[in-house]
Amino acid sequence: MLKIAIRQQLGQTLLDVDTELPLSGVSAVFGRSGAGKTSLINILGGLATPDAGEIRLGERWLFHKEKKIDLPPERRNAGFVFQDARL
């Protein structure tokens, strides 16, 4: 399971996610413009840090605010492709 329980203030929007996703299959994130989809992906990838919470991939912590765990992107063994070309 990928356990995500984070909070991040994004201007006027509060990104508040508490979910568990299976490690197999496909999961999708959708919502209106400005809802925090890209911010969530950046947090999962380690490119941004949430204000509070935790992210656990299986038995491995990627982020835990209180335990002061915040693995850098290169140690998360995850990747994603940006929506637009960035070369």
Side-chain angles (χ1 to χ4, degrees):
M1 285 288 182
L2 173 61
K3 169 67 175 164
I4 307 166
I6 54 105
R7 292 173 61 101
Q8 176 73 26
Q9 190 67 46
L10 305 167
Q12 298 291 337
T13 302
L14 176 63
L15 179 62
D16 188 359
V17 178
D18 189 358
T19 192
E20 291 186 5
L21 302 172
L23 295 180
S24 62
V26 176
S27 298
V29 177
F30 63 92
R32 65 175 173 74
S33 179
K37 300 177 299 293
T38 300
S39 295
L40 174 61
I41 298 301
N42 286 336
I43 288 170
L44 293 176
L47 300 178
T49 303
D51 296 330
E54 58 193 55
I55 303 168
R56 190 178 73 235
L57 181 60
E59 298 301 315
R60 189 167 163 239
W61 292 107
L62 303 182
F63 175 82
H64 196 295
K65 184 72 168 188
E66 292 185 12
K67 292 182 180 183
K68 297 184 168 121
I69 298 170
D70 189 5
L71 293 182
E74 63 272 14
R75 293 199 45 222
R76 293 190 181 210
N77 294 329
F80 57 93
V81 179
F82 292 100
Q83 184 173 339
D84 47 357
R86 297 187 184 201
L87 294 176

